[in-house]
Amino acid sequence: MRTHRRRASTLDLIVSESVRFIKAHEPPEGYFVAFSGGKDSIVSLELTRMAGVKHQSFYSCSGIEPPEVVRFIREHYPDVRFLYPQMSFFDGIRKKFPPLRTKRWCCDYLRKYPARNIPLKHRIMGIRAEESNSRAERPWIERNRREGTVVYKPIFLWKEWTIWEFIEEHDLPYPSLYDEGWDRVGCVVCPFICSSNMKLIERNRKRWPGMYRAFEHAVREWFDTRKAQGVRFREETAGEYLQNWYRGIG
């Protein structure tokens, strides 16, 4: 584990603040705790348990996450309820298009929509400001009036060192991928890991070749079908399209 030692008192204060935050907003029906199997959701769920509030935890299974993570959740978090999308990632590509950074339909269809029918509208999520500027600009408590949900972020101001320190201090299990060099354990195929050097793409494709074969097959079917329908592409072939997609060109 990659840990960064700090004075215990500092972590204790941070933990106490997060637990108070969870207790202060506890809804009568209990929280919906979003669980992904990643380090942030592990900490968020443990904090919720420490707060002693009513809650249920849910995992939106996209079908393209590392199998190691799915096994980890089933083994160490058997109480987490699995939610499944109505449309698979690969069918979504055939019906829509390969997801892009600016057009990530997959996040909605695979992660958000499966949770829509869960009546618990007060939701705890392991979102941290440190992860991106756009996340840092959003509030600790976020209301979605259209869906009627309220999102609470108890670890919003936590740094990565506090996450790992907390996991170590409480002896919490976590996916072994973190010890193998992965910084995130989300979807295996994702436009956010696309780049000109294709380093992360090649790493993931080597680890999970079957997932990438299925992805490339779906993209080729989509590309050839759209081209036959008269859609004009910058690329001449599906192979060229895939190479540009992997490099973040799209």
Side-chain angles (χ1 to χ4, degrees):
M1 179 191 291
R2 296 160 296 166
T3 59
H4 301 270
R5 292 291 182 182
R6 294 294 189 279
R7 294 193 328 182
S9 58
T10 302
L11 180 61
D12 291 343
L13 288 172
I14 295 171
V15 170
S16 296
E17 182 179 2
S18 295
V19 169
R20 283 197 300 270
F21 176 80
I22 294 170
K23 288 181 176 180
H25 300 285
E26 180 185 7
E29 69 278 16
Y31 285 113
F32 172 116
V33 181
F35 191 79
S36 69
K39 63 184 187 303
D40 294 340
S41 69
I42 289 171
V43 171
S44 296
L45 179 54
E46 185 65 19
L47 289 168
T48 304
R49 291 172 172 176
M50 291 171 64
V53 297
K54 186 177 179 181
H55 69 278
Q56 296 180 52
S57 49
F58 299 86
Y59 172 55
S60 290
C61 188
S62 71
I64 55 170
E65 52 273 287
E68 296 89 337
V69 174
V70 177
R71 289 195 296 269
F72 165 80
I73 296 173
R74 293 193 184 281
E75 179 181 355
H76 295 283
Y77 291 89
D79 293 336
V80 171
R81 177 178 166 185
F82 277 55
L83 304 176
Y84 297 94
Q86 294 184 344
M87 177 176 66
S88 76
F89 176 66
F90 306 110
D91 284 342
I93 290 172
R94 296 183 183 98
K95 294 177 182 180
K96 301 171 74 64
F97 53 87
L100 306 171
R101 282 176 180 259
T102 55
K103 298 178 181 178
R104 299 187 312 278
W105 58 264
C106 49
C107 293
D108 288 335
Y109 280 85
L110 304 181
R111 298 293 189 187
K112 295 180 182 179
Y113 293 173
R116 278 182 165 179
N117 294 327
I118 303 299
L120 302 176
K121 298 302 182 180
H122 293 260
R123 305 189 168 183
I124 289 178
M125 293 188 177
I127 297 173
R128 293 189 297 115
E130 184 183 49
E131 294 177 299
S132 69
N133 290 331
S134 60
R135 290 191 172 189
E137 292 172 356
R138 306 182 79 88
W140 279 36
I141 300 175
E142 204 163 353
R143 288 175 167 79
N144 186 324
R145 288 182 170 79
R146 184 179 63 182
E147 297 183 2
T149 58
V150 184
V151 173
Y152 302 89
K153 310 168 188 177
I155 62 169
F156 189 62
L157 295 182
W158 284 47
K159 302 297 183 182
E160 186 169 354
W161 74 263
T162 54
I163 294 293
W164 286 114
E165 190 80 5
F166 182 87
I167 287 174
E168 181 178 29
E169 182 173 297
H170 292 268
D171 196 25
L172 300 176
Y174 58 90
S176 61
L177 288 173
Y178 284 119
D179 290 335
E180 298 177 51
W182 269 260
D183 293 323
R184 58 184 300 276
V185 293
C187 296
V188 168
V189 183
C190 176
F192 272 120
I193 66 172
C194 295
S195 67
S196 58
N197 63 24
M198 292 179 57
K199 181 179 179 181
L200 297 181
I201 289 290
E202 294 297 346
R203 180 192 66 176
N204 280 13
R205 183 156 56 180
K206 183 178 180 180
R207 179 68 175 249
W208 302 287
M211 199 93 65
Y212 274 79
R213 284 195 296 270
F215 169 68
E216 293 177 3
H217 180 71
V219 172
R220 292 179 189 279
E221 285 189 351
W222 166 80
F223 185 94
D224 292 341
T225 299
R226 295 299 185 275
K227 195 165 187 179
Q229 293 171 345
V231 176
R232 296 176 65 88
F233 290 95
R234 173 177 52 215
E235 300 85 1
E236 289 295 324
T237 67
E240 291 176 0
Y241 180 91
L242 277 163
Q243 288 303 303
N244 282 339
W245 191 90
Y246 286 142
R247 291 187 169 89
I249 303 172

